[in-house]
Amino acid sequence: MLYVVGLGLGNEKDVSVRGLEAIRRCAHVYLEHYTSVLGVDCEALEAFYGCRVTLADREFVEERVDGMLHQAREADVAFLVVGDPFGATTHTDLLLRAREEQVDYEIVHNASIINAVGCCGLQLYNFGMCVSMVFFTDTWKPDSFYDKLAVNRRNGMHTLVLLDIKVKEPNMEQLARGRKVYEPARFMTVNVALEQMMEVERTRGEALYGTDTFVVGLARVGQPSQMIKYGPISELARHEFGAPLHSLIIPAPDHTLHESERDMLRSFR
Amino acid sequence: MLYVVGLGLGNEKDVSVRGLEAIRRCAHVYLEHYTSVLGVDCEALEAFYGCRVTLADREFVEERVDGMLHQAREADVAFLVVGDPFGATTHTDLLLRAREEQVDYEIVHNASIINAVGCCGLQLYNFGMCVSMVFFTDTWKPDSFYDKLAVNRRNGMHTLVLLDIKVKEPNMEQLARGRKVYEPARFMTVNVALEQMMEVERTRGEALYGTDTFVVGLARVGQPSQMIKYGPISELARHEFGAPLHSLIIPAPDHTLHESERDMLRSFR
């Protein structure tokens, strides 16, 4: 049996009791380690579960999944995912493979950033599609988020902006010389995300938002040191949010907000 | 301290380890009991937590919240919510009251139907705003969901339809005679939701969807007996989904679906 277990957002104790019981039954435990990270490291998980946890990076998930499914036919195997198992496309692919290979699986759900952002007071049912913000390079500045944000804002919906994470990315220069050397992990800050948003607004020029647009910056949602700040882009672009992970919300236009949304946001001013 | 603890969607073991530790520390434990229900009853929770759990119905939440906040100033109090604490507006109001009264609170997140519906294979980041479907009466057939669904569908977004729940609703006839008698609990089925959708489509006549539109019916998401069916409205309107809770998804138009979304949906045909 393959258990796909969501770990939630904070530390080793955010797993559900059902999830913990499943993990402790398993012969092999893998932790998906490239679409998100917890506030604690792998050793903390191992100490709490009482078993070895193998880190599964992008390479693992793309190349060695068949081996894991093979193991799951003979024994209980846990594939741990930060947040909820369905936060990332990759995991749908894993389940499709499991179905094809007729490997039984069980999902253990947990909180995802997608529902935990409700902590800022904006109503979850009023969010439109999520957008992703990737690290811009000199030659690659994808701006498709702008059109999605436009649809959401023009229809009175909030937008969650998921910020780029680079864990175990190979250094391209070294790779060209045949050496696999990994870059240090990078997590996009609210500040960088807002800078890039303003850069795209200058190019597109549709005045979808400006430095005076109020947004919500969030850091470490679901962890004890969680931080939520509501303010204009100009202010939040300079605010120090501290350790990762960061997230960003562009609320629906102010006049469309509910009273309780407005009250709660104001308390994070 | 007030702990607002999400219980997840299935049974007593879907609470997180952190949530369970908090509950077991508390002098008073309340279970919010009118916006959603678990797959197990209150006794199962009491047995697992080892403490008394008081059911908090709508009346309680609207009238006796101040008493609970007062208790939370002197002792540890847990307010349990099925799913995630931010699934319902009411709980934002509770936290606003707590902030006003300067009562410390801590949120323990969990899975919500809003992220757990990812189990059908549709990508969470591609959902637009949620809509609610309430039980129609002869004189009250609210159709505002239709406009929201139109925005979502025309912009390539999926729509989660949250189905009405009536727990402990007073019987109006008896109430008029000064007696408080409660109606039996009612949970909207996928079948009723689809019938009502078709009724509204006939009135509005914009051909936003028809009996041949493919939708996803879900029952008991996150529970062992979970059921997911993908098919045309005509077919799902007659399908027996069994015990509550039910949910419904109107996917984005077919040509906008990702390949993995299409593959996963097909497996629920």
Side-chain angles (χ1 to χ4, degrees), chain A residues 13-14 18 110 125 130, chain B residues 13-14 18 110 115 125 130:
Chain A
K13 290 192 173 175
D14 285 313
R18 187 156 71 89
N110 208 320
Y125 58 72
C130 297
Chain B
K13 290 193 173 175
D14 284 313
R18 186 156 72 88
N110 209 320
N115 67 296
Y125 58 74
C130 296

Side-chain angles (χ1 to χ4, degrees), chain A residues 13-18 21 84 86 99 109-110 115-116 118-119 123 125 127-130 151 155 222 260 267, chain B residues 13-18 21 84 86 89 93 99 109-110 115-116 118-119 125 127-130 151 155 222 267:
Chain A
K13 290 192 173 175
D14 285 313
V15 70
S16 68
V17 174
R18 187 156 71 89
E21 287 179 354
D84 184 70
F86 293 102
R99 292 175 87 96
H109 288 288
N110 208 320
N115 67 295
C119 60
Q123 293 303 326
Y125 58 72
F127 275 77
M129 57 194 143
C130 297
V151 168
N155 290 289
S260 73
S267 75
Chain B
K13 290 193 173 175
D14 284 313
V15 70
S16 68
V17 175
R18 186 156 72 88
E21 287 179 356
D84 183 70
F86 293 103
T89 327
D93 292 339
R99 290 175 87 95
H109 288 287
N110 209 320
N115 67 296
C119 61
Y125 58 74
F127 275 77
M129 57 195 143
C130 296
V151 168
N155 289 287
S267 75

Side-chain angles (χ1 to χ4, degrees), chain A residues 42-213:
Chain A
C42 198
E43 285 74 49
L45 298 183
E46 290 184 328
F48 186 61
Y49 304 152
C51 66
R52 253 202 91 216
V53 175
T54 305
L55 287 183
D57 53 24
R58 186 186 300 267
E59 234 170 81
F60 176 96
V61 175
E62 283 167 7
E63 292 167 18
R64 290 174 50 201
V65 153
D66 288 338
M68 186 174 74
L69 290 177
H70 185 77
Q71 284 179 333
R73 211 178 270 125
E74 323 268 302
D76 286 338
V77 173
F79 185 73
L80 313 182
V81 179
V82 174
D84 184 70
F86 293 102
T89 326
T90 323
H91 310 135
T92 309
D93 291 339
L94 170 63
L95 297 185
L96 273 170
R97 292 282 302 130
R99 292 175 87 96
E100 277 167 29
E101 301 285 325
Q102 298 181 298
V103 172
D104 287 334
Y105 66 84
E106 189 181 316
I107 304 297
V108 182
H109 288 288
N110 208 320
S112 154
I113 187 68
I114 285 179
N115 67 295
V117 290
C119 60
C120 74
L122 292 171
Q123 293 303 326
L124 290 176
Y125 58 72
N126 218 15
F127 275 77
M129 57 194 143
C130 297
V131 305
S132 295
M133 179 71 77
V134 300
F135 282 113
F136 285 2
T137 66
D138 289 344
T139 52
W140 195 58
K141 300 177 196 288
D143 65 355
S144 62
F145 75 88
Y146 193 89
D147 303 302
K148 293 181 178 174
L149 181 56
V151 168
N152 286 349
R153 261 180 94 75
R154 285 172 190 150
N155 290 289
M157 294 182 267
H158 314 308
T159 307
L160 171 61
V161 187
L162 298 169
L163 308 187
D164 204 2
I165 289 177
K166 296 238 180 268
V167 181
K168 220 178 167 186
E169 294 282 315
N171 176 306
M172 285 306 167
E173 217 168 280
Q174 296 284 345
L175 200 63
R177 292 184 211 159
R179 279 180 297 206
K180 223 165 194 175
V181 176
Y182 295 100
E183 301 278 4
R186 288 166 74 202
F187 304 96
M188 188 181 288
T189 59
V190 168
N191 316 95
V192 167
L194 290 174
E195 265 170 43
Q196 294 192 171
M197 272 183 61
M198 289 313 303
E199 189 179 341
V200 170
E201 176 61 62
R202 282 189 297 271
T203 319
R204 299 285 294 257
E206 298 173 29
L208 184 61
Y209 49 83
T211 50
D212 57 346
T213 301

Side-chain angles (χ1 to χ4, degrees), chain B residues 138-207:
Chain B
D138 289 344
T139 53
W140 195 59
K141 300 177 197 287
D143 65 355
S144 61
F145 76 86
Y146 193 89
D147 302 301
K148 293 180 178 174
L149 181 57
V151 168
N152 286 349
R153 261 180 95 76
R154 284 170 190 152
N155 289 287
M157 294 182 269
H158 313 309
T159 307
L160 171 62
V161 187
L162 298 169
L163 308 188
D164 203 2
I165 290 177
K166 297 238 180 265
V167 181
K168 220 178 167 188
E169 296 281 315
N171 177 306
M172 287 304 166
E173 216 167 281
Q174 296 285 345
L175 200 63
R177 293 185 211 157
R179 279 179 297 206
K180 222 164 194 173
V181 176
Y182 295 100
E183 302 278 2
R186 288 167 73 202
F187 304 96
M188 189 182 287
T189 60
V190 167
N191 317 93
V192 168
L194 290 174
E195 263 169 45
Q196 295 192 170
M197 271 183 63
M198 289 313 302
E199 188 179 342
V200 170
E201 177 57 66
R202 282 189 294 272
T203 319
R204 300 284 294 256
E206 298 173 29

